[in-house]
Amino acid sequence: MNIGVLTGGGDCPGLNAAIRAVTKRGIDEYGYNILGIKNGWDGLVEGNVAPLTLYSVSGILPKGGTILGTSRRNPLKNREDWHKVLDNIRKFELDVIVAIGGEDTLGVALKLYDEGVNVVGIPKTIDNDLQGTDYTFGFDTALYIATEAIDRIHTTAESHHRVMVVEVMGRHTGWIAVMSGIAGGADCILIPEVPFSIEEIVKIILGRKKRGKTFSIVVVAEGAKPKEIKELVTRSNKVDEFGHIYLGGIADVLGKELEKRTNMETRVTILGHIQRGGTPTPFDRILATRFGVKAVDMIKEKQFGKMAALIGSSITTSPIEEAVKEPKKVPVELYEIAKVFFR
Ligand code: F6P
């Protein structure tokens, strides 16, 4: 059996742990041939495929990024690319495609499955916005990085008696914001799922000041926007091949408004891609490893069109169709917990 493995979409720590697990489980347990498809779906359009061996995955577990490379190439954008993908699957005699990715990557895998190609998914994204699994790997590391950053922002905020606005990633959900905000003791957390106004934030900040708290930490998700601002704040009006706009910069807009209305010195930190870099946390290393082993066992059991999933503490499977239907949003109960401390 020839198993093609690819990593698509935004990279994250843990991808190499997953690649290592698929390769070792596949070769050692079932004697499969494992082929690495380079740079996500681009590799299948261009025919950029090379064998993965026990040697090539040795020592990559703690390494950030992906040894295969990734891209946001969308082969569904034109028929010629799509036919190249199908031709290359035949040319390299790939019996199964293991797609490690988020909604975009797994959405393409689902289309291949509809065309009769055997696919297995592994859910990956720092956004944690995939249905069908409690967690995606990459999220815990981004959460750790963001929390560590908020801890550091705390000491400088307190020293200068400032309002500090910290912007985190998460695309159109607020998982990183709400969890790192709770973990980092933020005084206000703003996420796309819950409408808010700048006036409400000002009230929290001035209320704290009245009680002698001369600094405040506001954590804002890149996809959030207050009622007073009409459009999402973006870096440019370009979109990627899956139609996603480039979010980023809401913190700058918010920071200016808050400084004006509270008359307190305000500074802004946008964490950006450091949330996607470096070595994975132990949780992500273990989750990515468990997903990788499960994905190969799913091949043995001919469980195609599904992805490995974490439900509670168990590794199981979920239909890819479910996972990509719509983003998994932050539940209001979790946000209510965060709100206990907005004062
Ligand atoms: O999906 C992961 C993610 O980091 C989002 O949180 C973010 O909006 C986007 O990718 C950034 O994409 P790029 O790396 O292409 O700029």
Side-chain angles (χ1 to χ4, degrees):
M1 285 266 273
N2 296 328
I3 316 295
V5 189
L6 65 86
T7 54
D11 78 310
C12 72
L15 280 168
N16 287 321
I19 294 165
R20 168 179 174 268
V22 168
T23 304
K24 286 179 86 82
R25 183 67 166 178
I27 293 172
D28 285 349
E29 184 69 19
Y30 303 116
Y32 292 156
N33 298 315
I34 310 293
L35 293 102
I37 300 165
K38 302 298 175 68
N39 307 320
W41 295 112
D42 184 73
L44 268 186
V45 176
E46 307 302 336
N48 193 352
V49 178
L52 278 170
T53 65
L54 295 179
Y55 178 76
S56 46
V57 299
S58 166
I60 69 170
L61 169 66
K63 206 165 164 290
T66 160
I67 59 168
L68 292 176
T70 185
S71 73
R72 292 189 183 280
R73 180 85 182 259
N74 179 3
L76 289 163
K77 272 183 78 75
N78 70 64
R79 292 216 58 77
E80 194 190 327
D81 283 355
W82 189 244
H83 285 300
K84 283 182 182 170
V85 165
L86 297 173
D87 291 345
N88 279 315
I89 288 173
R90 276 189 290 275
K91 175 184 168 189
F92 290 97
E93 297 175 326
L94 299 177
D95 299 295
V96 185
I97 305 284
V98 174
I100 307 175
E103 57 167 321
D104 298 334
T105 304
L106 296 180
V108 174
L110 185 61
K111 283 281 181 298
L112 276 176
Y113 181 63
D114 293 343
E115 302 230 1
V117 176
N118 293 328
V119 302
V120 168
I122 294 181
K124 161 286 306 175
T125 172
I126 67 164
D127 303 339
N128 192 41
D129 60 355
L130 274 183
Q131 301 274 6
T133 183
D134 289 352
Y135 287 100
T136 53
F137 75 79
F139 171 69
D140 186 68
T141 305
L143 172 59
Y144 176 82
I145 293 166
T147 304
E148 217 257 346
I150 295 167
D151 285 350
R152 290 178 182 280
I153 292 286
H154 247 105
T155 60
T156 177
E158 198 158 12
S159 307
H160 282 267
H161 319 291
R162 283 171 167 166
V163 175
M164 301 297 280
V165 184
V166 181
E167 179 178 315
V168 297
M169 283 182 158
R171 220 191 273 286
H172 300 299
T173 63
W175 288 99
I176 299 174
V178 73
M179 300 280 255
S180 65
I182 292 173
D187 306 303
C188 185
I189 305 166
L190 309 169
I191 62 174
E193 293 91 333
V194 177
F196 60 90
S197 72
I198 296 176
E199 236 5 79
E200 288 166 279
I201 311 166
V202 169
K203 228 184 279 165
I204 292 168
I205 293 170
L206 296 181
R208 284 176 48 81
K209 194 173 173 188
K210 216 180 283 166
R211 296 199 321 276
K213 288 287 181 185
T214 59
F215 71 96
S216 285
I217 312 267
V218 178
V219 174
V220 59
E222 62 179 354
K225 73 172 187 60
K227 292 170 194 153
E228 296 91 336
I229 297 176
K230 224 169 31 26
E231 303 289 324
L232 277 178
V233 178
T234 60
R235 292 213 170 289
S236 78
N237 48 23
K238 279 192 314 182
V239 290
D240 68 17
E241 292 197 13
F242 289 88
H244 295 300
I245 49 174
Y246 289 93
L247 294 169
I250 177 66
D252 289 319
V253 176
L254 209 48
K256 284 196 187 76
E257 271 305 304
L258 291 177
E259 184 160 72
K260 206 164 68 185
R261 298 189 195 200
T262 62
N263 200 24
M264 290 173 72
E265 262 197 337
T266 302
R267 293 293 185 271
V268 169
T269 302
I270 297 180
L271 296 183
H273 285 69
I274 67 160
Q275 296 163 93
R276 293 250 298 270
T279 188
T281 57
F283 180 88
D284 273 343
R285 296 180 193 193
I286 294 163
L287 184 57
T289 297
R290 295 178 76 190
F291 278 167
V293 170
K294 180 68 178 177
V296 178
D297 292 348
M298 288 164 69
I299 293 170
K300 183 70 185 163
E301 298 151 7
K302 301 194 184 323
Q303 292 212 56
F304 302 121
K306 295 176 183 174
M307 71 178 191
L310 176 72
I311 305 293
S313 60
S314 307
I315 297 291
T316 178
T317 67
S318 285
I320 293 176
E321 197 175 1
E322 284 309 304
V324 299
K325 213 171 262 176
E326 57 177 51
K328 181 178 67 190
K329 301 279 188 179
V330 172
V332 67
E333 301 76 26
L334 183 57
Y335 192 72
E336 287 306 317
I337 298 284
K339 276 182 76 173
V340 167
F341 306 91
F342 292 4
R343 59 187 304 281

